[in-house]
Amino acid sequence: MRYGDGGGVDQAERVRRERVRQRAAVLFAQGRTAVEVAGALEVSTKSAYQWRRAWKAGGVQALASRGPAGPDPKLSDEQLARLKARLEQGPAAAGHGEDQRWTLARIVALIATMFHVRVSVTTAWQAMQRLGYTPQMPIHRAIERDEPAITHWRRYQWPAVKESPPAHPPGSASPTSAARR
């Protein structure tokens, strides 16, 4: 999968790769060559040579993972915790009485109000993902909706409505053909 398709390296893969590099450091310390390390760890010789150079210059710490690529998130973990607490109070607590849904535009405005930071809708969406939220499609239902009546209708009346008319034996006249005569 390509990076543009949502691929890339996640946390688990970064940990796995770091373990491979740490194993390479142990092998270098034992006096193994970069070619031997590449064969033992099933990596390219180019990577093994780069790791050996880094290991010689900075030791085992030079082979540690640097974390995810890209810029640091705009909101810290502490700010995200505060944002989550505020989101759980609901939109009404933030002054949105007419509609009880959190939209990304509202979250952007809330972040600006709370932290004095301007973020894009994409950044707000990434913050929501970090908090564990998923996109939801709201279900609009009438306030007057009578759930017991709907359940009763679905259970007892809908099967009768859904049934097709009884089949007529071959050769006999159907009621519709008799009515046409």
Side-chain angles (χ1 to χ4, degrees), residues 6-174:
V9 180
D10 62 357
Q11 182 63 29
E13 181 63 13
R14 270 192 297 282
V15 169
R16 187 193 71 75
R17 289 180 179 188
E18 184 169 1
R19 270 185 269 173
V20 170
R21 290 191 303 272
Q22 299 300 321
R23 179 76 178 122
V26 170
L27 294 174
F28 291 138
Q30 293 173 355
R32 298 271 193 93
T33 66
V35 175
E36 291 172 334
V37 170
L41 299 178
E42 298 179 356
V43 298
S44 70
T45 54
K46 180 180 179 183
S47 292
Y49 278 112
Q50 288 175 338
W51 295 345
R52 189 179 69 174
R53 261 193 316 276
W55 174 75
K56 279 185 176 182
V60 177
Q61 285 74 27
L63 297 177
S65 174
R66 295 185 190 107
D72 290 335
K74 289 221 176 193
L75 298 178
S76 67
D77 291 337
E78 182 267 328
Q79 287 174 320
L80 280 178
R82 287 180 44 209
L83 177 64
K84 184 172 186 170
R86 186 73 179 270
L87 290 172
E88 288 173 353
Q89 292 175 1
H96 302 286
E98 73 279 357
D99 187 8
Q100 291 299 301
R101 291 180 288 174
W102 281 116
T103 62
L104 288 175
R106 287 180 177 181
I107 293 169
V108 166
L110 182 64
I111 290 170
T113 303
M114 288 179 67
F115 308 117
H116 307 289
V117 176
R118 294 187 73 180
V119 297
S120 67
V121 172
T122 304
T123 302
W125 168 237
Q126 290 167 348
M128 297 306 290
Q129 286 179 315
R130 285 174 58 199
L131 289 172
Y133 286 93
T134 58
Q136 302 291 316
M137 293 301 294
I139 299 173
H140 296 283
R141 300 195 184 227
I143 295 173
E144 301 85 8
R145 185 176 168 101
D146 185 2
E147 287 297 330
I150 293 170
T151 303
H152 182 270
W153 186 87
R154 282 185 182 155
R155 177 161 182 136
Y156 298 106
Q157 292 178 322
W158 173 242
V161 171
K162 147 174 116 165
E163 267 184 30
S164 58
H168 297 285
S172 69
S174 70

